[in-house]
Amino acid sequence: MLHLTQAHKNAIRGIRKIKYFVARRKFQQARKPYDVRDVIEQYSQGHLNMMVRIKELQRRLDQTLGKPGSHLSIGVKCIPIGTRLYRMEQQINLIDNKVDSILQILNIFMEKGKPSLLKRTQSIEESV
């Protein structure tokens, strides 16, 4: 068995008392009701930070895509990406329609030209 000296016992008692007083003080602080002003101030600061972030995001979106309706009155120098994408989609749709019409015309020519093509291939085969 371990025997402690009186000095050791006093040191342990002192440490335990300090721990008790610290825990009691923390408990009393936890029991205190919230000060309404502090709560409102923290809420205001959080709300302000959130608004600053939202404004920054909106500014970056406007810089990238352009403000709504701005593509109507924009100069040639700074056309936003949204407007450029819209114009590109229109051009792609136009090209797609042209390709479709060309394919239709080619199909019509192929249907009309089939008998003559068949005759040509048959005559070539006979000559060989």
Side-chain angles (χ1 to χ4, degrees):
M1 225 198 226
L2 183 65
H3 295 285
L4 297 175
T5 63
Q6 192 62 31
H8 286 110
K9 289 180 183 177
N10 287 338
I12 292 171
R13 281 189 194 113
I15 291 172
R16 291 205 174 177
K17 283 184 179 180
I18 291 172
K19 285 184 177 182
Y20 167 75
F21 288 127
V22 168
R24 188 174 74 176
R25 186 178 57 206
K26 286 183 179 179
F27 179 75
Q28 287 174 348
Q29 286 177 352
R31 276 188 50 222
K32 284 183 183 177
Y34 287 110
D35 187 14
V36 176
R37 290 183 204 141
D38 290 341
V39 172
I40 291 173
E41 184 179 335
Q42 288 175 359
Y43 175 78
S44 316
Q45 287 175 354
H47 181 70
L48 182 65
N49 288 341
M50 183 181 64
M51 293 304 291
V52 166
R53 288 181 181 177
I54 289 173
K55 283 184 181 179
E56 177 63 19
L57 283 173
Q58 186 66 45
R59 185 191 65 76
R60 289 170 59 189
L61 273 174
D62 289 344
Q63 184 179 9
T64 303
L65 300 176
K67 292 183 180 179
S70 65
H71 64 278
L72 301 174
S73 62
I74 283 234
V76 177
K77 289 183 180 177
C78 60
I79 298 174
I81 292 175
T83 305
R84 285 189 255 168
L85 285 174
Y86 178 73
R87 288 180 183 171
M88 175 108 31
E89 287 174 357
Q90 284 182 328
Q91 289 174 352
I92 289 172
N93 286 338
L94 240 162
I95 292 171
D96 192 35
N97 290 339
K98 286 180 183 178
V99 168
D100 283 344
S101 62
I102 290 172
L103 282 174
Q104 287 174 353
I105 292 170
L106 283 174
N107 283 333
I108 291 171
F109 281 135
M110 289 297 290
E111 291 297 320
K112 288 182 178 179
K114 268 187 182 177
S116 63
L117 284 176
L118 285 174
K119 289 178 185 174
R120 286 183 191 163
T121 54
Q122 288 174 352
S123 65
I124 292 173
E125 288 174 359
E126 289 173 358
S127 64
V128 175

